[in-house]
Amino acid sequence: MPHSHCSDNHDCDHSSDETGILYNLFEKIDKENLECLNESIEGSGKTVFKPWDKRLDTENFVQSDADEELLFNIPFTGNVKLKGIRIASEDSANHPKKLRLFKNRPNMTFDDIAMEPDQVFELQIDSEGMHEYAPKVVTFSSVSHLTMHFPTNFGADSTKIYYIGLKGEWSPGHKHGVTICTYEARPNLDDHKLKHLDSVTRHID
């Protein structure tokens, strides 16, 4: 007979629903321009950014190819205040061991990863994405592009990831600087012209 595991305690359902609502930044990723370097199957890296309730889906995953490294270049459709990261993988040596984050450095390659990251996380083996990693609030308060580098795992030849969840706030980007500068420059030119005419008038008198 069908039954609910939470029939006597609804907190688990509410908690899961709330987490799903918070981890919704996958909707704000520019999926067309998202890229994953060293993925064994082209385009598979995009599939791990999915809804919270799909995090245990093992049909869609990304696995590294030549070695254990994976590098994600993630452009957003606006500005993001990144507040949380969750990762789900296998309960095995294929699970990534470390995560290096880079803010607003588009189109990074493996030639660029020698530079200092903005933050580093030592990861736990987590097959359900239950552990949350908290980015520095000040550093990741205005992110238009996020690079995630997974340099190593727990000893396997390749790294496998089923789910990457991103929590935070999104706002549209603004570009008004040029317009303001042009507007402010015009009155100055007019002032010079008026002064010139005044001096001519005084000379004629």
Side-chain angles (χ1 to χ4, degrees):
M1 184 175 182
H3 66 280
S4 170
H5 292 290
C6 299
S7 56
D8 297 326
N9 185 353
H10 298 286
D11 289 344
C12 55
D13 287 335
H14 293 320
S15 177
S16 182
D17 290 342
E18 290 172 4
T19 302
I21 292 171
L22 293 172
Y23 273 83
N24 64 350
L25 283 184
F26 70 93
E27 298 175 343
K28 304 301 183 181
I29 294 174
D30 179 4
K31 287 286 188 71
E32 291 297 320
N33 293 304
L34 184 153
E35 63 176 353
C36 178
L37 305 186
N38 197 39
E39 56 187 2
S40 59
I41 300 175
E42 185 176 355
S44 58
K46 298 180 181 182
T47 67
V48 302
F49 297 92
K50 50 193 174 184
W52 170 252
D53 58 2
K54 301 292 185 184
R55 71 191 185 284
L56 302 181
D57 170 24
T58 58
E59 290 186 15
N60 294 310
F61 62 88
V62 61
Q63 187 164 3
S64 63
D65 187 15
D67 53 31
E68 71 273 24
E69 289 190 81
L70 285 170
L71 181 66
F72 291 86
N73 283 311
I74 309 163
F76 294 103
T77 58
N79 291 320
V80 165
K81 181 183 291 185
L82 188 63
K83 295 183 174 181
I85 299 172
R86 297 197 185 207
I87 296 162
S89 179
E90 291 184 335
D91 187 8
S92 69
N94 295 99
H95 194 293
K97 187 175 184 179
K98 181 181 290 189
L99 168 59
R100 304 168 76 240
L101 294 181
F102 299 87
K103 170 192 171 183
N104 297 341
R105 301 180 189 177
N107 305 314
M108 285 186 67
T109 68
F110 288 112
D111 294 331
D112 304 316
I113 57 176
M115 67 177 65
E116 189 71 19
D118 293 293
Q119 191 166 359
V120 178
F121 293 103
E122 298 294 333
L123 306 180
Q124 301 179 12
I125 292 181
D126 185 352
S127 61
E128 297 185 0
M130 300 306 293
H131 186 80
E132 181 174 292
Y133 303 93
K136 300 173 187 174
V137 176
V138 175
T139 304
F140 294 94
S141 62
S142 181
V143 183
S144 59
H145 186 284
L146 181 68
T147 301
M148 306 180 77
H149 175 223
F150 298 91
T152 185
N153 56 32
F154 285 87
D157 293 332
S158 64
T159 297
K160 184 181 288 187
I161 299 175
Y162 291 117
Y163 170 79
I164 296 178
L166 302 176
K167 178 180 76 172
E169 300 173 7
W170 177 92
S171 61
H174 298 286
K175 296 180 181 178
H176 296 309
V178 175
T179 304
I180 293 171
C181 291
T182 303
Y183 176 77
E184 291 178 346
R186 286 175 180 167
N188 294 332
L189 293 174
D190 292 339
D191 289 343
H192 287 299
K193 289 179 181 179
L194 290 172
K195 290 177 181 178
H196 175 69
L197 290 174
D198 288 344
S199 63
V200 172
T201 301
R202 285 196 296 272
H203 178 72
I204 293 174
D205 291 339

